[in-house]
């Protein structure tokens, strides 16, 4: 009988691997002692940087400070502020309807005024009145801030933009102007002149707008007046030619006369017929009534001929033709009178509407008179100049070092 083989799980445990002895530790390395660092010395590049700083930053700053405090003259400022207002007066019908008067700023007019204040035309006009060249060239020696009297109008305009600052608030329609000059009185005079020129310009705009509003109605009125004059002149010539004031009245008179004659003729014929029945043929009353009948018939024929009855219509001497021509002229005259009345009413309405809409300049700051000088702002200008020079010098040094490092 054989024994069963042992199971893998029942196998004998493995022996641990033998431990190798550790390698002996090496001896620690000794630290290396460096020699002491010597004192820093100025090299050529350091001297160049220092020299460039003195030349590019320090020296211009000192020169600018000397110029600003010793050479540049004081400048005085005058401020003026205004706005363009448009006032529309309500008509009586609008007042009854509950619509009140409205007054507000006109942005379009303010934009036009803002551009006008910067224009060469304004500079030339104020220069002709106040002599800006003499005012701004008063400092004896100030080549930077003073104006050169030999300059052209373009040069004066450039100098104007430096001395006159215009601030425009488009939302509120407000314009504020700051004027600089070398005396407070000159600055105030320039500001006052700008205010007056602005008022004149706004008045011109208002006049132009009013003229545009009534131009067409005035033209219609003038044409209606000329038409009425012509129509009345033609009627006057007609009356002088025919020696008649109103042919229609004469026509009524002639028609009445003709009716009366026909009535008399009928009565006379009746008497003649009655007399023939009751008397003999040789009765003298018959011949007398017959002569009366003949006279009345001749008169009726003459009156009919005068009225144009039984004659050609082309005959201009007949009364009917004269009356027809007069009626045509009268109709033309009445139409001209009605056209004139309508044009006059339209013109009066346009004129009243234009008068209700008025533009005016409303100054909220009158030209001020300075008591002390605030310009040129020496500290601010010197600080900005120094900062700009320092930034430019630093940029140059960094560029030079970057080029040197690439090499």
């Amino acid at each position: 009988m054989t024994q069963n083989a042992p199971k893998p799980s029942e196998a004998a445990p493995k022996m641990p691997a033998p431990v190798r002895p550790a390698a002996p530790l090496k001896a620690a390395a000794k630290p290396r002692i460096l020699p002491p660092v010597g004192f820093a010395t100025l090299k050529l590049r350091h001297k160049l940087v220092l020299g460039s700083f003195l030349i590019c930053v320090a020296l211009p700053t000192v020169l600018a400070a000397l110029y600003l405090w010793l050479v540049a003259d004081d400048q005085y400022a005058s401020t003026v502020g205004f706005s363009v207002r448009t006032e529309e007066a309500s008509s009586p019908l609008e007042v009854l309807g509950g619509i009140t008067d409205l007054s507000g700023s006109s942005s379009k007019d303010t934009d036009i005024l803002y551009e006008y204040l910067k224009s060469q035309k304004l500079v030339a006009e104020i220069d002709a009145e106040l002599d800006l060249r003499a005012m701004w060239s008063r400092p004896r020696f100030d080549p930077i801030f003073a104006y050169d009297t030999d300059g052209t109008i373009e040069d004066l305009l450039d100098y104007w933009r430096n001395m006159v600052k215009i601030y425009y608030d488009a939302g509120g329609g407000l314009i504020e102007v700051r004027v600089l000059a070398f005396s407070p009185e000159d600055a105030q005079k320039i500001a006052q002149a700008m205010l007056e020129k602005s008022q004149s310009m706004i008045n011109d705009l208002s006049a132009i707008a009013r003229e545009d509003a009534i131009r067409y109605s005035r033209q219609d009125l003038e044409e209606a007046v000329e038409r009425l004059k012509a129509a009345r002149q033609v009627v006057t010539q007609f009356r002088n030619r025919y020696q008649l004031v109103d042919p229609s009245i004469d026509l009524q008179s002639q028609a009445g006369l003709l009716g009366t004659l026909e009535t008399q003729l009928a009565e006379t014929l009746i008497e003649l017929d009655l007399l023939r029945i009751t008397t003999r043929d040789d009765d003298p009353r018959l011949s007398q009534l017959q002569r009366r009948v003949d006279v009345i018939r001749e008169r009726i024929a003459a009156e009919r001929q005068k009225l144009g009855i039984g004659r050609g219509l082309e005959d201009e001497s007949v009364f009917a033709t004269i009356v027809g021509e007069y009626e045509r002229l009268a109709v033309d005259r009445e139409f001209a009178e009605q056209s004139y009345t309508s044009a006059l009413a339209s013109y009066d309405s346009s004129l009243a509407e234009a008068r209700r809409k008025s533009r005016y300049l409303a100054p909220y700051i009158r030209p001020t008179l300075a008591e002390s000088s605030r310009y040129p702002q020496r500290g601010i200008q010197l600080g900005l100049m120094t900062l700009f020079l320092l930034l430019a010098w630093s940029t140059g040094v960094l560029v030079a070092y970057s080029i040197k490092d690439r090499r």
Side-chain angles (χ1 to χ4, degrees), residues 30-311:
K30 295 182 180 180
R32 181 181 178 184
I33 300 174
L34 298 176
V37 179
F39 293 100
T41 58
L42 287 176
K43 295 184 179 180
L44 179 60
R45 63 176 181 275
H46 300 151
K47 296 179 180 180
L48 292 176
V49 170
L50 180 59
S52 64
F53 175 80
L54 294 176
I55 295 174
C56 297
V57 180
L59 182 60
T61 300
V62 173
L63 294 178
L66 293 176
Y67 184 86
L68 288 173
W69 269 272
L70 298 180
V71 179
D73 283 5
D74 293 337
Q75 298 177 7
Y76 300 86
S78 179
T79 303
V80 60
F82 43 80
S83 174
V84 180
R85 312 296 294 178
T86 301
E87 184 174 358
E88 298 184 3
S90 301
S91 63
L93 294 178
E94 293 175 346
V95 174
L96 292 176
I99 302 177
T100 57
D101 296 346
L102 300 177
S103 177
S105 63
S106 176
S107 59
K108 294 183 179 179
D109 295 337
T110 309
D111 294 338
I112 295 174
L113 180 59
Y114 175 68
E115 296 297 330
Y116 173 71
L117 293 175
K118 301 187 299 181
S119 65
Q120 179 177 326
K121 182 177 182 298
L122 176 64
V123 177
E125 291 177 353
I126 296 181
D127 181 45
E129 293 182 3
L130 302 180
D131 195 3
L132 294 176
R133 303 170 190 266
M135 285 184 177
W136 283 336
S137 62
R138 286 183 178 177
R140 297 180 179 179
F141 180 74
D142 193 352
I144 295 179
F145 294 103
Y147 176 73
D148 185 6
T149 55
D150 296 332
T152 61
I153 185 63
E154 288 78 13
D155 298 331
L156 183 60
L157 180 60
D158 294 336
Y159 191 82
W160 168 277
R161 292 171 179 172
N162 292 329
M163 300 293 285
V164 179
K165 298 299 181 180
I166 305 172
Y167 306 97
Y168 176 37
D169 181 9
L174 303 178
I175 296 179
E176 186 171 331
V177 182
R178 188 202 67 195
V179 182
L180 297 180
F182 297 101
S183 69
E185 292 78 10
D186 290 345
Q188 189 182 34
K189 288 180 181 179
I190 298 174
Q192 182 65 33
M194 293 183 66
L195 178 61
E196 293 175 356
K197 293 295 182 182
S198 299
Q199 290 176 340
S200 177
M201 192 256 187
I202 293 301
N203 292 336
D204 293 340
L205 287 179
S206 182
I208 292 174
R210 187 182 300 110
E211 180 65 24
D212 291 340
I214 64 177
R215 178 187 305 169
Y216 298 106
S217 58
R218 182 190 291 115
Q219 292 178 356
D220 294 341
L221 179 60
E222 293 175 354
E223 293 177 359
V225 169
E226 294 299 327
R227 187 185 299 114
L228 180 59
K229 288 181 179 179
R232 288 180 174 177
Q233 186 176 3
V234 172
V235 172
T236 302
Q237 293 175 355
F238 173 85
R239 289 172 175 173
N240 293 333
R241 184 170 70 249
Y242 293 103
Q243 297 297 315
L244 294 173
V245 177
D246 191 351
S248 61
I249 298 177
D250 294 340
L251 180 61
Q252 294 177 0
S253 300
Q254 292 294 331
L257 177 60
L258 183 59
T260 302
L261 291 174
E262 290 179 348
T263 302
Q264 292 178 0
L265 178 60
E267 293 176 353
T268 305
L269 288 174
I270 292 173
E271 291 179 5
L272 181 61
D273 293 337
L274 292 174
L275 187 61
R276 284 177 180 175
I277 295 173
T278 58
T279 61
R280 294 178 298 174
D281 293 338
D282 57 352
D283 191 340
R285 289 179 295 176
L286 292 176
S287 59
Q288 185 179 0
L289 289 175
Q290 186 62 44
R291 286 194 298 270
R292 180 179 175 84
V293 169
D294 295 338
V295 171
I296 293 175
R297 284 178 175 174
E298 290 178 359
R299 177 51 52 193
I300 289 174
E303 295 299 330
R304 284 177 176 271
Q305 185 178 6
K306 183 184 294 186
L307 292 177
I309 301 176
R311 299 183 58 180

Side-chain angles (χ1 to χ4, degrees), residues 369-397:
L369 182 64
E371 295 183 357
S372 62
S373 172
R374 292 291 184 268
Y375 300 90
Q377 297 174 328
R378 294 178 173 87
I380 295 177
Q381 292 191 9
L382 183 62
L384 292 176
M385 180 179 177
T386 304
L387 179 61
F388 175 77
L389 292 175
L390 185 60
L391 291 176
W393 173 79
S394 302
T395 303
V397 171

